């Protein structure tokens, strides 16, 4: 039997009461302003290609957080959707001459279909069994990426053309490409934000907190979890497709199990189940990888040490601890 202390009750009241809700709305508005301001002004302060990489991984982490943070499902195989969409989009643009937006939509459609297959098989199990099924199926996708002729094998799919947006805007121009990526990220982030705050998102959070109770209320929890899985896979595919156009390259690294580990790390560092946490976590990981690249493989040691420090000092992640410190329900 769990015992709730007076301090825990007071903290809950502070977070869920009118004052806490008002603070939460104000701080969310502040975060929105900071996020949009950063996206718009970043090319004037930072290397645009670095920021494009950051935005792609931030969308990937937000898509993953929709599954683990708001549905309670841990997937070890999200790299399959990220990398698979990158290959599909890259092949469509290279071999078929498809424009960028239809190419991204093809990659997203592939990830949605793959997510439906993987999700339909995996949600029959729970906990670590669910996670291991997703990992096993993702390794099959990795094997196909290695063996299929159009993927380029170990060399990857190179020379992916960026093309022209609507036939008019040349995406080979760095700033044009940047603002296209920024628009993709903001649209994807808005979709995730809307899902979280919709009645559907509330049901997902109920399943995360107490699935038997949600089931007793008449909700088909397996159907909700499958839809959440497909949505998460689709948005992860959008992130992978966009990244392949940015770097004009799709490689086995995008579909490797280590990529699944990186997105888990980003989500945990930023704050599991928070709105803006995955963006912060992605920034931390990508920044460490970029600015410490001179030390070679030691960068993984630094990232690992950062993760350990975060787990010990910020158990709720950076944004999660900030929300707790400011006594707001969610950021």
């Amino acid at each position: 039997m769990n015992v709730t202390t007076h301090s825990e009750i007071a903290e809950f009241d502070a977070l869920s009461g009118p004052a806490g809700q008002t603070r939460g709305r104000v701080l969310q508005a502040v975060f929105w302003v900071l996020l949009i301001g950063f996206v718009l002004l970043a090319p004037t302060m930072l290397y645009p290609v670095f920021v494009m990489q950051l935005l792609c991984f931030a969308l990937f982490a937000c898509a993953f957080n929709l599954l683990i943070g708001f549905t309670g499902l841990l997937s070890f195989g999200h790299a399959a959707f990220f990398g698979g969409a990158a290959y599909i989009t890259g092949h469509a643009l290279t071999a078929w001459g498809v424009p960028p937006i239809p190419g991204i939509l093809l990659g997203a459609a592939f990830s949605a279909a793959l997510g439906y297959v993987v999700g339909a098989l995996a949600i029959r199990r729970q906990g670590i069994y669910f996670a291991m099924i997703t990992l096993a199926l993702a390794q099959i996708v990795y094997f196909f990426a290695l063996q299929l002729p159009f993927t380029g094998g170990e060399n990857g799919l190179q020379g992916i053309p960026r093309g022209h947006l609507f036939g008019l805007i040349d995406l080979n121009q760095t700033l044009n490409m940047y603002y296209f990526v920024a628009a993709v990220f903001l649209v994807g982030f808005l979709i995730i934000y809307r899902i979280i705050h919709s009645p559907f998102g509330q049901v997902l959070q109920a399943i995360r907190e107490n699935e038997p109770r949600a089931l007793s209320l008449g909700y088909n929890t397996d159907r909700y979890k499958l839809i959440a899985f497909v949505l998460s896979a689709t948005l992860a595919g959008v992130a992978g497709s966009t990244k392949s156009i940015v770097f004009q390259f799709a490689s086995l690294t995008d579909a490797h199990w280590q990529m699944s580990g990186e997105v888990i790390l980003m989500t945990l560092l930023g704050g599991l189940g928070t709105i803006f946490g995955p963006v912060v976590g992605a920034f931390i990981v990508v920044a460490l990888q970029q600015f410490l690249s001179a030390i070679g493989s030691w960068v993984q040691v630094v990232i690992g040490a950062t993760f350990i420090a975060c787990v010990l000092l910020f158990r709720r992640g950076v944004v999660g601890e900030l929300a707790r410190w400011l006594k707001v329900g969610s950021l």
Side-chain angles (χ1 to χ4, degrees):
M1 180 176 178
N2 294 327
V3 178
T4 304
T5 65
H6 292 294
S7 61
E8 288 173 333
I9 294 173
E11 182 179 8
F12 177 79
D13 291 340
L15 297 179
S16 60
Q21 291 176 358
T22 301
R23 278 198 303 271
R25 284 193 292 268
V26 170
L27 288 170
Q28 281 193 25
V30 171
F31 265 77
W32 269 110
V33 171
L34 292 175
L35 178 63
I36 295 173
F38 172 79
V39 169
L40 293 177
L41 299 177
T44 64
M45 301 178 291
L46 299 170
Y47 185 44
V49 175
F50 161 72
V51 186
M52 285 190 276
Q53 181 184 10
L54 165 63
L55 293 179
C56 291
F57 278 107
L59 180 57
F60 185 26
C62 289
F64 180 75
N65 187 49
L66 177 64
L67 186 67
I68 185 175
F70 292 95
T71 314
L73 298 176
L74 172 60
S75 168
F76 283 158
H78 252 51
F81 313 120
F82 184 82
Y87 276 111
I88 295 298
T89 297
H91 181 69
L93 269 65
T94 304
W96 303 337
V98 173
I101 292 180
I104 291 175
L105 293 177
L106 281 172
F110 169 81
S111 292
L114 182 62
Y116 180 83
V117 173
V118 174
L121 294 172
I123 62 171
R124 301 179 183 184
R125 296 293 181 267
Q126 294 181 347
I128 190 63
Y129 301 103
F130 172 89
M132 295 310 295
I133 290 173
T134 60
L135 175 61
L137 294 173
Q139 287 301 100
I140 295 174
V141 174
Y142 177 83
F143 172 79
F144 280 119
L146 180 62
Q147 297 297 327
L148 291 175
F150 78 88
T151 62
E154 294 182 354
N155 296 321
L157 190 59
Q158 304 179 33
I160 299 172
R162 289 181 174 178
H164 290 70
L165 189 62
F166 308 119
L168 300 172
I169 303 173
D170 185 7
L171 293 184
N172 291 299
Q173 300 294 324
T174 302
L175 281 181
N176 291 343
M177 186 67 215
Y178 171 80
Y179 284 111
F180 172 66
V181 173
V184 171
F185 166 76
L186 288 175
V187 170
F189 190 81
L190 280 169
I191 291 172
I192 293 171
Y193 184 86
R194 183 68 190 99
I195 291 171
I196 292 169
H197 291 87
S198 68
F200 173 78
Q202 298 302 311
V203 175
L204 293 183
Q205 294 176 60
I207 293 172
R208 176 196 64 190
E209 296 298 329
N210 194 325
E211 185 174 349
R213 179 174 292 180
L215 193 62
S216 69
L217 292 173
Y219 293 107
N220 186 340
T221 56
D222 283 349
R223 184 167 67 89
Y224 276 91
K225 289 191 291 186
L226 179 58
I227 294 173
F229 196 97
V230 172
L231 288 171
S232 178
T234 303
L235 291 164
V238 171
S241 296
T242 307
K243 177 180 175 291
S244 70
I245 298 176
V246 170
F247 291 98
Q248 301 181 278
F249 184 70
S251 69
L252 290 173
T253 304
D254 297 329
H256 196 263
W257 64 265
Q258 188 174 350
M259 184 64 71
S260 297
E262 285 188 11
V263 76
I264 294 173
L265 177 62
M266 293 173 188
T267 306
L268 292 177
L269 281 176
L272 194 67
T274 62
I275 299 168
F276 298 94
V279 179
V280 175
F283 181 85
I284 294 172
V285 173
V286 174
L288 287 174
Q289 290 175 341
Q290 288 290 328
F291 296 118
L292 298 179
S293 59
I295 64 175
S297 59
W298 282 95
V299 69
Q300 300 300 328
V301 177
V302 175
I303 293 175
T306 304
F307 177 66
I308 293 172
C310 183
V311 169
L312 293 176
L313 301 176
F314 308 101
R315 296 185 61 183
R316 294 175 176 84
V318 175
V319 175
E321 288 293 340
L322 179 63
R324 181 172 179 269
W325 181 65
L326 295 172
K327 296 182 178 180
V328 296
S330 177
L331 277 180

